[in-house]
Amino acid sequence: AGIRRVLYGYNAVFTGLLLLALLVLANIMVAVVFTANVEWNPKMGMQSLAPRSKVTLEGLKDRVTVYVLMARGSESYLEVRDLLDNCQSITDKLTVQEISPDLKEMEYRKLVDKYPEVGERTSMAPGGRGESGRGLLITYGEAAAGQKLPHEFIPESDLEGPDQGRTHRLFFGERVLMEKIRLLSEKGKTKPKIYVTQDNGELWIDDGDYLTKGTSDRVLSLLRYAGGGEFANMLRKDNFEVQGLIWEAKPNIPTPDMFSFSKASPKDKHEVPDDCSVLLIANPEKAFPKDVLEAIDRYMDKRNGKLMILTNTGILPESKIADDGLVDLCKKYNVQLNKDFVMKFSPRDDVMKVKVTVVPTAQNKVAQEFANQRYYFVMPRTMSPMKGPSSGYNAEPFLHVTKEANGAPVGAETDTAAILKQHPADYVATIIERGQLGNKVSPEPLIVGMTITDRDNKARVVVIGGYTFVSTPILRKSTDARDNFALFRSCLSWLADRDIVDIGIDPKESGTYHPRETSKTRLVALPIALLALALAGLGTGIWIVRRK
């Protein structure tokens, strides 16, 4: 009897240990084959890396260290840990160090002393809030002890943000982390230099002061969509150089370093500076003089220049559409720019604000990667590719306004007098009441953005029928500012032959997995059923052995 007990006891223990060994082996095999977290829930929970992120990580040539300066109980901590685990599974050149500002105060202080901007910056996102010094510090390269490395800091409040019109939050961590890594890897390379035309009613790139220092509500309402200082500052942070270009001779008095002049002396011809990577024309109020247009033509034709145009239809107080001269300029690049503006014919909504999406058939790289995004424009201007003799440029629709995206009919309006006489929403209501909607609604999508390439299929021009989406107040306060700037920057990067750092990485919904009622039943019933089946199988096996 004693021998039988030892034998059966040994068999039971050995079988249990063997089962445990098999489970350990199975887990190791799964960990080797599936090295990163998978997207086990389409909306919430652990997320797989975007293809673009994997390309970025696999292309790293130097060491990247990410310092996690966050409390473990913070909202973004778990998502950050999953993200960094996934990144480390792709490359061995990424190191993660957790330095809690609360638990490791001495280490944290040393890091802040070495990189002071960590303690200074709270957020780069519009309306971003958070405790100063909390977030992710990324350093690039390896150096001797105490040496300061190229670095970028992501405030914790920039990692998450609300999704407009919904209750959940979006996790932007993967996108901003990859952007910073790509920017750090480009340090030392030549920065693309963007020249923004000034002094002709365009977005002014030095508008920061009068928008923040005690500006009255009346002035702020007038400047609601004015100014380009914010996009200029954001571009500088992202490794661009930004200069204002004034079409005049350089004066003999000191001028701010951010402005350049088209002539060295009054006797010279206007010229675009030699180091211009992209010339940006952002919604001029009136047409450029002939000699300025000739300078732009020389830049484009003889120097293979790059041009970006942002334009809304200007409406004058006398109910006329302003002549900004861009219609003739765009014709040179096979773009027919129209003197109208898009409206949404739904009195329940803001009729002046329409949702713009990417043309699904566009072949442009930026368009393909931003296919699932949407942008809000205020009364955008329409355009179309020109038909006729080729000028050597190929214009392709890039952005459009559709009824489906807006959930209401849309149309290109030209009746400026009616718009000025009454509130736009009242005007739309009147159109609907009179049964005149059929004359206003466009049966086809309305094109509001185009990309232009030359005979060699090289990027040459981008024309967008709106500027408000990157104006200073919108970039500072709108929840869509991050996506708006990403589109703007990517267009400039495409023109400047620079790698686009933010395409193909969509924000993830942040939160905790909450199973449905049917899922809860399965979560309880399935383990109980499997346990009962396992016990029955084990008992049957023992009974068969004992019978023999």
Side-chain angles (χ1 to χ4, degrees), residues 9-297:
Y10 167 78
N11 284 337
V13 173
F14 178 76
T15 304
L17 292 175
L18 183 61
L19 176 61
L20 179 62
L22 289 173
L23 290 174
V24 171
L25 181 62
N27 276 276
I28 292 175
M29 292 178 65
V30 170
V32 170
V33 176
F34 302 101
T35 55
N37 293 330
V38 295
E39 192 167 339
W40 58 276
N41 184 280
K43 290 187 176 180
M44 294 183 179
M46 296 183 294
Q47 305 285 350
S48 58
L49 291 177
R52 184 67 178 178
S53 299
K54 296 177 182 178
V55 172
T56 299
L57 294 169
E58 290 169 351
L60 286 178
K61 297 180 180 179
D62 214 334
R63 172 67 53 188
V64 172
T65 303
V66 181
Y67 295 92
V68 182
L69 312 177
M70 301 167 59
R72 295 196 172 188
S74 64
E75 292 182 351
S76 305
Y77 177 78
L78 292 178
E79 283 86 354
V80 167
R81 282 303 319 173
D82 286 335
L83 170 62
L84 295 176
D85 286 345
N86 283 344
C87 292
Q88 288 185 297
S89 70
I90 299 297
T91 179
D92 58 358
K93 291 187 177 294
L94 189 141
T95 304
V96 178
Q97 292 190 31
E98 291 194 38
I99 301 179
S100 170
D102 304 315
L103 302 179
K104 299 180 179 180
E105 187 174 354
M106 292 298 295
E107 291 183 50
Y108 176 72
R109 279 288 121 210
K110 289 180 180 179
L111 199 64
V112 173
D113 291 340
K114 188 175 181 181
Y115 301 99
E117 50 268 66
V118 170
E120 297 170 357
R121 293 250 301 283
T122 303
S123 177
M124 289 175 60
R129 299 177 181 177
E131 200 169 347
S132 177
R134 307 299 176 100
L136 302 179
L137 172 67
I138 304 103
T139 63
Y140 189 79
E142 296 181 88
Q147 185 177 350
K148 196 172 182 178
L149 292 168
H151 59 280
E152 291 283 345
F153 180 64
I154 305 173
E156 184 176 357
S157 53
D158 285 2
L159 297 172
E160 283 196 341
D163 189 12
Q164 190 175 27
R166 301 182 184 180
T167 56
H168 58 258
R169 296 176 65 80
L170 294 178
F171 179 64
F172 299 100
E174 182 180 356
R175 175 192 291 181
V176 294
L177 177 62
M178 293 304 127
E179 288 178 6
K180 298 305 181 186
I181 290 176
R182 295 303 294 266
L183 290 172
L184 285 171
S185 67
E186 292 182 351
K187 293 285 186 182
K189 297 181 180 179
T190 302
K191 296 181 180 180
K193 198 162 187 177
I194 313 300
Y195 279 89
V196 186
T197 62
Q198 302 283 270
D199 210 26
N200 195 35
E202 301 98 332
L203 294 185
W204 191 250
I205 64 169
D206 189 24
D207 68 333
D209 288 345
Y210 68 74
L211 281 176
T212 57
K213 294 182 178 179
T215 307
S216 68
D217 292 339
R218 173 60 178 166
V219 174
L220 283 174
S221 66
L222 295 174
L223 299 174
R224 183 181 176 191
Y225 299 116
E230 188 68 10
F231 79 65
N233 291 334
M234 294 172 77
L235 285 174
R236 292 186 185 107
K237 291 175 183 177
D238 284 351
N239 222 26
F240 286 85
E241 288 189 47
V242 181
Q243 285 282 115
L245 178 60
I246 298 177
W247 300 104
E248 292 180 5
K250 186 175 182 179
N252 294 323
I253 60 174
T255 55
D257 293 338
M258 69 176 65
F259 295 107
S260 297
F261 297 85
S262 60
K263 295 196 283 187
S265 70
K267 296 180 181 180
D268 296 326
K269 289 183 177 180
H270 291 293
E271 294 292 349
V272 177
D274 294 337
D275 58 352
C276 178
S277 301
V278 180
L279 181 65
L280 173 60
I281 301 175
N283 202 57
E285 290 182 352
K286 55 186 178 181
F288 291 119
K290 181 181 178 181
D291 53 349
V292 170
L293 293 174
E294 290 174 350
I296 295 175
D297 288 341

Side-chain angles (χ1 to χ4, degrees), residues 393-470:
Y393 293 99
N394 177 40
E396 180 186 29
F398 168 42
L399 299 171
H400 65 182
V401 181
T402 64
K403 174 183 177 181
E404 292 74 19
N406 285 274
V410 293
E413 183 60 75
T414 57
D415 192 351
T416 57
I419 293 296
L420 292 177
K421 288 179 181 178
Q422 57 185 320
H423 192 278
D426 296 334
Y427 169 72
V428 169
T430 302
I431 291 294
I432 295 174
E433 290 174 3
R434 293 177 179 176
Q436 299 174 345
L437 192 60
N439 299 327
K440 297 288 185 178
V441 174
S442 173
E444 301 293 333
L446 297 168
I447 300 170
V448 295
M450 302 195 74
T451 57
I452 296 93
T453 54
D454 59 18
R455 289 188 177 93
D456 299 325
N457 202 33
K458 292 183 178 180
R460 297 297 302 276
V461 186
V462 173
V463 182
I464 297 179
Y467 71 92
T468 60
F469 72 110
V470 288

Side-chain angles (χ1 to χ4, degrees), residues 305-325:
K306 309 294 182 69
L307 178 65
M308 185 170 183
I309 297 174
L310 307 179
T311 172
N312 272 70
T313 300
I315 302 176
L316 300 175
E318 56 269 25
S319 303
K320 294 181 180 180
I321 292 178
D323 182 14
D324 55 12

